[in-house]
Amino acid sequence: MSGAVDTGVAIRTNRVTRTFIYLFLLLFALFYLLPLAVMLINSVKPLSEITGGNMMALPNVWTFEPWREAWSSAQIGVQPTGLRPYFINSILIVVPAVAISTIMGALNGYVLTKWRFRGDTILFGMLLFSCFIPFQIVLIPMARVLGMIGLAGSVPGLILVHVVYGLGFTTLYFRNYYSAFPTELVRAAQIDGAGFFRIFYRILLPLSGPIIVVTIIWQFTNIWNDFLFGSSFAGQASQPMTVALNNLVQSSTGVKAYNVHFAGAILAALPTLIVYIVSGRFFVRGLMAGSVKG
């Protein structure tokens, strides 16, 4: 009888504990989402309501004109182009940079784990060291290199910068993932006559889905949100979204259009939000997939 009573008390205590945990997490979630809510609310208000001191209140008049202006006609630098051309620039930078760095990282991880050679540990250590080099240190050397090869101020130049800087991270992810992969399968494929690339494309790559998702999310987020490289190496016609957003907010052509600024900030953050909402649950799963051998 006492055992049943103890079990009931334990269940009630567990429920109370979980309730407090959920309330605590909900409080932090609301606190974290408050800035986004403020931006969303004020992005659909007329400017007169914001300047009137009603920033936290719901709009009396709902309008999507700030979104249209931020996208297509807001003053960015000297031209009223809106954020649309810079959004396209970011897409042109992100997609090739993510694809190239992911493929190269996969090949590096494959070589460093299944095709060992003398000095491979030193090479991996150098690649790993590159993950800890601050952005600011590489600005001048990278600017010199881009100038020498004729890619300064261009979209291909920014792609190269992001590929080079992200290669250490992608190599690390794939190397750790492939180190848990049975080497015996690779040896068996070699005995059957499979070569370097055939083993990679037919055996390892089809099983690399989780770590590919991790790499894409990591690289996409870092490249899309980058401001330093974009402001340092981009020309006027190749500026990414983050640089254009800064120019939009810093432009001084009269009254500050806060509703347009809020709409522009949400447009700039929207791709990364979509990526995390759609595939964020795979991020930790992919990181853990190669963390334990056997």
Side-chain angles (χ1 to χ4, degrees), residues 141-159:
M142 189 63 73
R144 292 286 302 273
V145 171
L146 291 177
M148 291 172 59
I149 62 178
L151 293 180
S154 66
V155 169
L158 284 172
I159 294 172

Side-chain angles (χ1 to χ4, degrees), residues 101-208:
S101 60
T102 299
I103 294 172
M104 293 183 67
L107 287 171
N108 288 344
Y110 169 49
V111 171
L112 290 171
T113 54
K114 307 306 176 189
W115 296 79
R116 305 291 299 273
F117 55 91
R118 178 179 295 182
D120 62 337
T121 304
I122 298 175
L123 177 61
F124 176 65
M126 295 174 64
L127 286 169
L128 186 62
F129 178 73
S130 69
C131 298
F132 303 99
I133 298 178
F135 286 9
Q136 295 82 354
I137 292 180
V138 302
L139 291 181
I140 295 178
M142 189 63 73
R144 292 286 302 273
V145 171
L146 291 177
M148 291 172 59
I149 62 178
L151 293 180
S154 66
V155 169
L158 284 172
I159 294 172
L160 176 63
V161 170
H162 288 296
V163 169
V164 170
Y165 200 85
L167 193 57
F169 292 98
T170 59
T171 300
L172 172 64
Y173 293 151
F174 278 99
R175 190 261 184 189
N176 289 346
Y177 186 82
Y178 288 154
S179 65
F181 192 87
T183 306
E184 291 76 12
L185 287 179
V186 177
R187 299 291 178 259
Q190 286 181 292
I191 294 173
D192 290 338
F196 177 87
F197 287 105
R198 187 176 182 84
I199 294 172
F200 177 68
Y201 285 114
R202 300 297 294 270
I203 298 178
L204 268 74
L205 198 60
L207 300 175
S208 303

Side-chain angles (χ1 to χ4, degrees), residues 17-288:
T17 302
R18 282 190 298 174
T19 301
F20 275 109
I21 292 174
Y22 290 152
L23 289 175
F24 186 73
L25 294 175
L26 179 61
L27 179 64
F28 268 89
L30 292 175
F31 180 78
Y32 185 79
L33 292 172
L34 181 61
L36 178 60
V38 171
M39 287 195 298
L40 281 171
I41 291 172
N42 288 279
S43 68
V44 291
K45 281 182 183 179
L47 184 59
S48 58
E49 291 189 30
I50 299 176
T51 56
N54 296 322
M55 183 170 285
M56 300 298 294
L58 291 174
N60 294 322
V61 178
W62 295 75
T63 176
F64 288 96
E65 181 61 22
W67 288 76
R68 187 202 64 78
E69 184 176 347
W71 179 251
S72 60
S73 62
Q75 188 78 25
I76 309 292
V78 297
Q79 297 293 333
T81 59
L83 293 173
R84 177 171 53 190
Y86 305 97
F87 186 92
I88 296 173
N89 284 344
S90 288
I91 294 293
L92 294 176
I93 294 168
V94 167
V95 173
V98 170
I100 295 171
S101 60
T102 299
I103 294 172
M104 293 183 67
L107 287 171
N108 288 344
Y110 169 49
V111 171
L112 290 171
T113 54
K114 307 306 176 189
W115 296 79
R116 305 291 299 273
F117 55 91
R118 178 179 295 182
D120 62 337
T121 304
I122 298 175
L123 177 61
F124 176 65
M126 295 174 64
L127 286 169
L128 186 62
F129 178 73
S130 69
C131 298
F132 303 99
I133 298 178
F135 286 9
Q136 295 82 354
I137 292 180
V138 302
L139 291 181
I140 295 178
M142 189 63 73
R144 292 286 302 273
V145 171
L146 291 177
M148 291 172 59
I149 62 178
L151 293 180
S154 66
V155 169
L158 284 172
I159 294 172
L160 176 63
V161 170
H162 288 296
V163 169
V164 170
Y165 200 85
L167 193 57
F169 292 98
T170 59
T171 300
L172 172 64
Y173 293 151
F174 278 99
R175 190 261 184 189
N176 289 346
Y177 186 82
Y178 288 154
S179 65
F181 192 87
T183 306
E184 291 76 12
L185 287 179
V186 177
R187 299 291 178 259
Q190 286 181 292
I191 294 173
D192 290 338
F196 177 87
F197 287 105
R198 187 176 182 84
I199 294 172
F200 177 68
Y201 285 114
R202 300 297 294 270
I203 298 178
L204 268 74
L205 198 60
L207 300 175
S208 303
I211 202 63
I212 289 175
V213 172
V214 169
T215 305
I216 290 175
I217 292 175
W218 176 267
Q219 283 292 88
F220 183 93
T221 304
N222 285 340
I223 297 172
W224 186 273
N225 291 335
D226 169 70
F227 176 78
L228 183 60
F229 288 160
S231 60
S232 300
F233 302 132
Q236 181 62 38
S238 60
Q239 290 178 348
M241 188 74 161
T242 50
V243 177
L245 178 63
N246 177 73
N247 294 339
L248 169 65
V249 174
Q250 297 298 330
S251 63
S252 56
T253 57
V255 179
K256 291 288 186 180
Y258 296 108
N259 50 355
V260 177
H261 297 170
F262 285 133
I266 296 173
L267 285 172
L270 201 57
T272 51
L273 287 175
I274 293 174
V275 167
Y276 271 101
I277 290 173
V278 172
S279 56
R281 65 182 182 273
F282 299 111
F283 188 77
V284 176
R285 188 184 306 173
L287 283 176
M288 296 298 295

